[in-house]
Amino acid sequence: GGTFFNFLSNTAFVLGDRDVDSDEFDDSVIVHEYGHMIAARFSRDDSPGHSHGVGDMLDPRVAWSEGWANFFSCAVRNDAIYRDSSGPNGASVLRYDLEDNIPPGDRPGYCSEASVDTLLWDLYDERADSGDSVQFPLPLIWGAFADMRNDRFVYVPYFLDHFINRNPDSATAIQAMAQLRSIDFHPGAHPGVSDPFPRPINVGDVVTGEVDSLTTKRPNLIQSAH
């Protein structure tokens, strides 16, 4: 122990402005991370992790995991605005509004975390807007969320299936809300989307494509995930 602390006392740590990220002061972030724990404990989270943001076409498991955590944070705080401050004195703020069905720069679909969190928020919130004329209590959303505990490769169509199983009268509204976000969801069908994840491979199928592990850009992570 002494050697380690002597090392620290003789080491200068220099942080640039962009390295300062005081998440301990961001309620949104704290509850978001708690939402991940909730998913692992009471539902299912198959996310492989890694960076994510608006505009990314993510591995659908990442999109679900991060979208759920964003929604959970906003629902617990009863505030549609998600904020993440960084920089000296929290001067830089990442801010987005879950009332925006398709935020600027987003590429909607089940590979978008914004499509996931805004859809969940529209299920929950009282405000009616384009494509959202319903409101459901949080316990009903929680029930469908918990129903996924025995699923695998969890992503948003699984949740929608469980939600409709619990509330069959919601099928038409749910389908409209999903399709507004370019999620081609069909209640009662198995699989529930026209391009399921992961893409099924049958005996005799020939699969073509490529995985680019060198490009730093993030235009189509869903293809690599498939």
Side-chain angles (χ1 to χ4, degrees):
T3 301
F4 175 71
F5 286 112
N6 287 338
F7 165 77
L8 290 180
S9 66
N10 292 302
T11 303
F13 294 93
V14 179
L15 295 177
D17 289 351
R18 291 181 300 175
D19 297 318
V20 179
D21 192 359
S22 50
D23 284 338
E24 66 271 22
F25 294 105
D26 291 325
D27 291 350
S28 298
V29 175
I30 293 170
V31 185
H32 170 105
E33 300 304 336
Y34 191 76
H36 285 308
M37 186 279 290
I38 290 291
R41 174 63 180 83
F42 296 101
S43 179
R44 176 85 181 189
D45 191 339
D46 291 318
S47 172
H50 212 271
S51 58
H52 54 92
V54 173
D56 286 344
M57 295 178 67
L58 297 166
D59 180 313
R61 297 167 295 178
V62 178
W64 165 256
S65 177
E66 299 302 333
W68 160 262
N70 292 341
F71 160 73
F72 182 80
S73 173
C74 290
V76 166
R77 296 178 298 105
N78 197 30
D79 184 353
I81 306 299
Y82 187 95
R83 304 172 185 84
D84 182 2
S85 64
S86 62
N89 298 317
S92 299
V93 179
L94 170 67
R95 178 188 184 278
Y96 50 90
D97 187 348
L98 266 62
E99 293 287 0
D100 291 336
N101 294 332
I102 304 176
D106 184 41
R107 286 183 282 188
Y110 65 59
C111 55
S112 162
E113 68 176 285
S115 291
V116 173
D117 59 40
T118 62
L119 194 160
L120 291 171
W121 182 257
D122 273 356
L123 286 176
Y124 167 73
D125 77 325
E126 298 179 355
R127 178 180 173 182
D129 56 31
S130 176
D132 168 28
S133 59
V134 296
Q135 181 197 9
F136 297 97
L138 191 57
L140 185 58
I141 296 172
W142 175 269
F145 167 73
D147 286 343
M148 295 192 299
R149 64 172 62 90
N150 295 320
D151 292 331
R152 299 293 182 271
F153 297 102
V154 165
Y155 69 126
V156 69
Y158 285 32
F159 169 83
L160 300 180
D161 282 335
H162 287 301
F163 190 88
I164 291 171
N165 286 340
R166 285 178 169 266
N167 187 16
D169 292 341
S170 69
T172 299
I174 297 298
Q175 182 179 32
M177 293 166 68
Q179 292 185 347
L180 177 67
R181 295 163 174 83
S182 300
I183 302 172
D184 187 25
F185 178 68
H186 300 278
H190 298 284
V193 288
S194 55
D195 182 19
F197 176 83
R199 191 171 297 134
I201 300 175
N202 301 310
V203 175
D205 284 353
V206 176
V207 180
T208 61
E210 63 183 31
V211 176
D212 183 352
S213 61
L214 299 177
T215 302
T216 58
K217 296 179 181 179
R218 306 169 62 77
N220 198 355
L221 294 176
I222 183 177
Q223 180 63 36
S224 297
H226 270 304

